[in-house]
């Protein structure tokens, strides 16, 4: 395994960090409310950071999403890349890639996904019917990647007949919406195995986003406890504070390293189903601990809903459950490992 970023990956992550630190300020995020920041989204796409995902791969995307997570920037970057660019590039036909990728790369088209499959949407003759109750960034999307009950993937335009969207507020301000399909026309994407590939990539990518959210929360806590004094000395000199911050740091690093491994394996074409589940489990369980610690270490200030650290708390809790909470992921991982062991025993 080699987790060292390539020159292209490092350059893209550095550029993203500069743009996000300049534009994703607390004041702008507060002004955006629960919506997206159109100016920031334009800046990212104009800089080529969306189109670059084709070149930097999933590991490169994870590095970019870490930077988004640090600032909790309200743009549909993760969704467009993981439900648009990556699955179309991997599973789309030559015609689909030529038609869809340029628009997704420039931000003219915005993608999201009704993931994971919950058996709510059926397909008959290329027509989809069903409901996805909370789809992230649906209010911004032009296309939705929809898995049906047979786990086939379909691309659906949000302006197509039979498609209805309505705003939904989730824990994190992700411009989410309820997707209702009534015999809506869908465009098939890929064949057998495409759903599993897309879900593994999504779990890995959102785990990378969680690593950034946790790193940002911890950085704010370290800054606050280093400058806030109690009884004539900084809070950070208290042993309890140091231990809580150290635990949060180790949890953040565990999310990061398992995510890097899963992303690297996917980029290399190696089996990564269980690695993606492991990364997602760490993102759920450890991520929840870190954002709680970040808020707790701010003391009374952490209870202020307008404080920047509260945004990290909301994102961390949303990511904790988005693609499967910890217990659900652990059960799926256990079943996968047990199934693999039975298959090996049968072959022997």
């Amino acid at each position: 395994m080699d987790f060292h970023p390539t020159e292209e990956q490092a350059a893209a992550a550095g550029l993203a960090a500069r743009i996000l630190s300049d534009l994703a300020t607390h004041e702008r995020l507060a002004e955006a409310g629960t919506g997206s920041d159109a100016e920031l989204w334009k800046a990212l796409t104009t800089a080529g950071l969306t189109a670059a995902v084709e070149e930097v791969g999933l590991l490169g995307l994870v590095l970019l999403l870490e930077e988004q997570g640090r600032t909790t920037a309200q743009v549909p970057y993760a969704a467009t890349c993981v439900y648009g660019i990556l699955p179309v590039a991997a599973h789309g036909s030559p015609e689909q890639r030529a038609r869809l990728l340029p628009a997704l790369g420039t931000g003219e088209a915005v993608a999201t996904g009704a993931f994971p499959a919950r058996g709510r949407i059926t397909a008959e003759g290329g027509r989809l019917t069903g409901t996805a109750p909370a789809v992230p960034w649906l209010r911004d999307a032009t296309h939705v990647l929809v898995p049906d009950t047979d786990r086939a993937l379909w691309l659906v335009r949000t302006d197509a007949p039979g498609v209805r969207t309505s705003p939904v507020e989730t824990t994190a301000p992700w411009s989410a919406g309820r997707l209702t399909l009534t015999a809506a026309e869908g465009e098939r994407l890929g064949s057998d195995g495409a759903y599993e590939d897309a879900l593994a990539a999504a779990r890995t990518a959102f785990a990378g986003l969680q690593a950034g959210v946790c790193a940002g929360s911890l950085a704010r806590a370290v800054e606050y406890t280093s400058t806030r004094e109690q009884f004539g000395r900084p809070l950070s000199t208290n042993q309890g504070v140091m231990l809580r911050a150290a635990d949060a740091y180790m949890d953040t690093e565990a999310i990061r390293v398992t995510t890097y491994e899963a992303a690297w394996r996917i980029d290399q074409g190696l089996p990564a189903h269980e690695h993606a589940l492991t990364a997602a489990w760490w993102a759920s369980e450890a991520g929840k601990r870190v954002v709680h610690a970040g808020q707790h270490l701010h003391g009374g200030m952490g209870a202020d809903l307008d404080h920047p650290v509260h945004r990290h708390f909301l994102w961390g809790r949303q990511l904790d459950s988005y693609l499967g909470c910890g217990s659900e992921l652990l059960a799926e991982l256990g079943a996968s490992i047990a199934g693999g062991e039975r298959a090996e025993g049968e072959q022997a």
Side-chain angles (χ1 to χ4, degrees):
M1 292 179 290
D2 183 5
F3 298 160
H4 291 92
T6 64
E7 184 177 345
E8 292 79 9
Q9 290 170 340
L15 178 58
R18 289 195 296 274
I19 294 173
L20 291 167
S21 62
D22 288 344
L23 294 180
T25 62
H26 174 58
E27 293 73 22
R28 287 177 61 90
L29 291 169
E31 184 179 351
T34 62
S36 296
D37 188 331
E39 183 180 344
L40 176 55
W41 177 238
K42 183 178 181 180
L44 291 170
T45 56
T46 300
L49 290 173
T50 308
V53 173
E54 285 188 76
E55 301 299 327
V56 300
L58 184 57
L59 181 56
L61 175 59
V62 165
L63 297 175
L64 291 163
L65 290 178
E66 280 191 70
E67 300 303 332
Q68 180 185 2
R70 289 178 198 276
T71 58
T72 60
Q74 290 171 204
V75 288
Y77 187 70
T80 293
C81 293
V82 82
Y83 296 129
I85 290 177
L86 290 181
V88 170
H91 298 287
S93 66
E95 186 277 331
Q96 287 174 321
R97 292 196 295 270
R99 171 167 47 89
L100 296 168
L101 288 177
L104 290 167
T106 61
E108 179 184 351
V110 174
T112 188
F115 272 60
R118 300 290 189 190
R120 297 189 179 102
I121 297 175
T122 60
E124 185 175 350
R127 298 283 179 172
L128 305 177
T129 299
T131 300
V135 179
W137 289 288
L138 181 62
R139 286 180 249 168
D140 300 328
T142 58
H143 296 76
V144 186
L145 189 65
V146 179
D148 64 20
T149 51
D150 295 323
R151 297 192 171 186
L153 288 183
W154 304 84
L155 269 177
V156 177
R157 289 191 60 91
T158 55
D159 60 358
V163 179
R164 184 163 59 88
T165 64
S166 55
V168 169
E169 299 302 335
T170 58
T171 303
W174 285 0
S175 296
R178 179 183 179 89
L179 176 70
T180 303
L181 305 175
T182 307
E185 184 176 358
E187 176 182 0
R188 183 68 187 270
L189 184 68
S191 56
D192 294 343
Y195 169 77
E196 287 72 17
D197 289 349
L199 180 58
R203 282 172 165 162
T204 303
F206 279 97
L209 187 62
Q210 181 75 300
V213 169
C214 292
S217 175
L218 183 57
R220 290 187 182 279
V222 168
E223 180 182 8
Y224 178 80
T225 57
S226 297
T227 56
R228 174 74 169 177
E229 292 190 358
Q230 189 176 57
F231 305 117
R233 61 176 186 170
L235 287 172
S236 60
T237 61
N238 294 326
Q239 187 179 43
V241 171
M242 289 189 285
L243 292 174
R244 191 79 188 273
D247 286 343
Y249 174 79
M250 293 303 295
D251 273 336
T252 301
E253 288 302 297
I255 300 170
R256 180 178 286 120
V257 72
T258 53
T259 301
Y260 284 6
E261 181 179 12
W264 179 84
R265 291 183 67 89
I266 290 172
D267 283 343
Q268 297 299 313
L270 298 171
H273 172 69
E274 292 169 6
H275 300 80
L277 281 169
T278 301
W281 181 84
W282 274 104
S284 174
E285 291 293 304
K288 183 167 49 182
R289 290 195 295 265
V290 173
V291 296
H292 274 266
Q295 193 170 31
H296 187 204
L297 289 172
H298 278 76
M301 293 300 294
D304 183 357
L305 301 185
D306 294 325
H307 195 283
V309 78
H310 187 67
R311 189 175 292 108
H312 291 268
F313 174 78
L314 294 178
W315 278 62
R317 289 309 312 240
Q318 185 70 38
L319 286 163
D320 159 40
S321 61
Y322 170 49
L323 290 175
C325 65
S327 57
E328 181 182 1
L329 294 164
L330 195 61
E332 186 178 343
L333 178 59
S336 178
I337 293 172
E341 290 176 348
R342 284 197 298 270
E344 289 177 6
E346 291 168 0
Q347 291 172 358

